Amino acid sequence: MKLLRYGPKGLEKPGLLDGKGRIRDLSGLVSDITPDLLHGEGLARLKAVDPESLPLVEGEPRLGTPVNGSRKFIAIGLNFADHAAESGLPEPTEPVVFMKAITCLTGPNDEVMIPRGSEKTDWEVELGIVIGRAASYVEQAQALDHVAGYVLINDVSERAFQTERGGTWDKGKGCDTFGPVGPWVVTADEVGDPQDLDMWLDLNGKRMQTGNTRTMIFGVAEIVSYVSQFMTLEPGDLITTGTPPGVGLGQKPEPFYLKPGDVMTLGIEKLGQQRQTVVAWRAATEEAA
C-alpha cells in the first residue's frame, strides 16, 4: 500500500495510490496520515480498503510529506563505503548518527531553498525508514517488525555548515526545505527486501548518483536496532540511511554545488520519484507575500 498526503501546504488531505497510479481520497475514512495509523489496527484497516471504492482525485495535486506528525528525523552518515571514500573519510565501524530538524521537512516536489550565505548546498538520494511500532533496545532479528514502511528522501546538505563551522553535522542538515520526503510511504510488505533497491539522482538531466541499497555498510535492521539503543523510536519517526557516491562534494576534478535554477530528479525502486527546483534564499516574510 502507498499512503500519501495531497493538497496545498498546511491543507493536505490523506490519500492512497491505487494499482493504476491514481490518487484516491481517504478523507472519508481518516482525517490524516498520522503516526497512529502506522501500526496495529489502523494500518490493517486501511489495507482492507478497496481503492476502487474511494473517490478519485482528479488532476495532479501537490504532494506533501506522506506522514503528518513525525517527531524525530534521524539520519545515518557515511553509510556507503564508496561515498565515504569520495568524502575522504574512513569507513565507519559503527553507524554515524545525527539529526535533521523536523522543520526541514517538505513535500517531494517542493522547491529547495539555498540557505543565506551558503556556497556548498549538496544533494543526496537516500532510503528512508518510517517507524511503525515503538522500539527501545530492539534486537536486530526483531528490528524490521518495527518498520511500517519506506520513503524516498533527498538529504539536502550544506557542506560548509556541516563540516567547517565547528560542532556537529546538524548545522548543515536541518535548514529549511532540506528534507524532501515522499511522494508516498510504501508499506513494508509491498517493498519486500529493503536491501535490494536501485537508487539514482539526476541534476539538470545528468545522472550524478547511481546505487543500490545492497551496498549499505549498515542495513535497515542493524540501523533500527542500533539507534534504538540510544533513543526510543516512536511511530512516525523517520530514519534516512545514507547515500551512494556522486554527491557534489565528491565531484572530480573539483566539487560543485547547487545553484538557483538547478533541477534535481531522484528516485528509488518501488518508492517513486521526486523533482525539486532550487531557489535562492528568501526571508519567511517574502515567502508569505
Side-chain angles (χ1 to χ4, degrees), residues 143-158:
L144 294 184
D145 295 338
H146 295 260
V147 175
Y150 301 93
V151 289
L152 169 62
I153 294 177
N154 189 352
D155 177 20
V156 186
S157 309
E158 210 300 336

Side-chain angles (χ1 to χ4, degrees), residues 6-270:
Y6 69 95
K9 189 173 183 179
L11 299 172
E12 293 92 344
K13 295 181 178 181
L16 61 77
L17 207 69
D18 68 19
K20 296 180 181 179
R22 301 173 300 185
I23 297 175
R24 297 284 181 163
D25 181 24
L26 273 173
S27 59
L29 299 177
V30 296
S31 61
D32 206 346
I33 306 299
T34 63
D36 289 342
L37 287 175
L38 298 178
H39 63 97
E41 294 182 1
L43 195 57
R45 183 160 57 93
L46 291 181
K47 287 181 178 180
V49 173
D50 177 9
E52 298 293 328
S53 69
L54 300 171
L56 184 65
V57 178
E58 301 291 347
E60 298 182 2
R62 171 192 173 270
L63 298 178
T65 56
V67 179
N68 184 26
S70 298
R71 295 179 63 186
K72 292 192 286 297
F73 193 179
I74 304 154
I76 307 299
L78 298 175
N79 198 26
F80 287 72
D82 34 12
H83 172 55
E86 75 172 354
S87 302
L89 296 169
E91 188 173 320
T93 57
E94 292 189 37
V96 176
V97 180
F98 59 93
M99 305 295 286
K100 288 178 72 77
I102 287 293
T103 50
C104 82
L105 287 171
T106 189
N109 303 313
D110 291 345
E111 294 176 337
V112 165
M113 183 173 64
I114 295 177
R116 186 171 67 179
S118 166
E119 295 182 354
K120 296 182 179 180
T121 297
D122 206 345
W123 57 86
E124 296 190 22
V125 58
E126 302 199 6
L127 171 68
I129 304 165
V130 182
I131 297 298
R133 288 174 48 208
S136 178
Y137 296 99
V138 173
E139 296 298 327
Q140 189 170 329
Q142 286 77 47
L144 294 184
D145 295 338
H146 295 260
V147 175
Y150 301 93
V151 289
L152 169 62
I153 294 177
N154 189 352
D155 177 20
V156 186
S157 309
E158 210 300 336
R159 302 303 187 188
F161 296 179
Q162 178 185 353
T163 63
E164 301 172 23
R165 299 284 296 272
T168 65
W169 286 11
D170 304 51
K171 290 180 183 178
K173 293 288 190 172
C175 303
D176 292 347
T177 75
F178 272 24
V181 177
W184 33 75
V185 54
V186 185
T187 52
D189 59 326
E190 186 167 326
V191 172
D193 182 6
Q195 302 307 151
D196 189 21
L197 301 173
D198 289 331
M199 51 202 308
W200 55 273
L201 182 144
D202 292 348
L203 178 63
N204 300 325
K206 180 181 178 181
R207 183 60 45 93
M208 307 303 296
Q209 291 185 273
T210 302
N212 187 287
T213 56
R214 74 172 68 95
T215 64
M216 288 165 59
I217 298 169
F218 308 104
V220 169
E222 187 170 1
I223 288 170
V224 171
S225 175
Y226 183 86
V227 174
S228 78
Q229 314 304 310
F230 302 98
M231 64 191 82
T232 297
L233 297 172
E234 302 172 304
D237 285 352
L238 296 168
I239 308 176
T240 191
T241 61
T243 196
V247 300
L249 176 66
Q251 297 301 311
K252 302 294 187 288
E254 295 291 336
F256 62 84
Y257 300 99
L258 295 169
K259 61 185 185 303
D262 283 344
V263 175
M264 294 177 283
T265 310
L266 56 149
I268 296 180
E269 181 183 0
K270 300 182 181 181

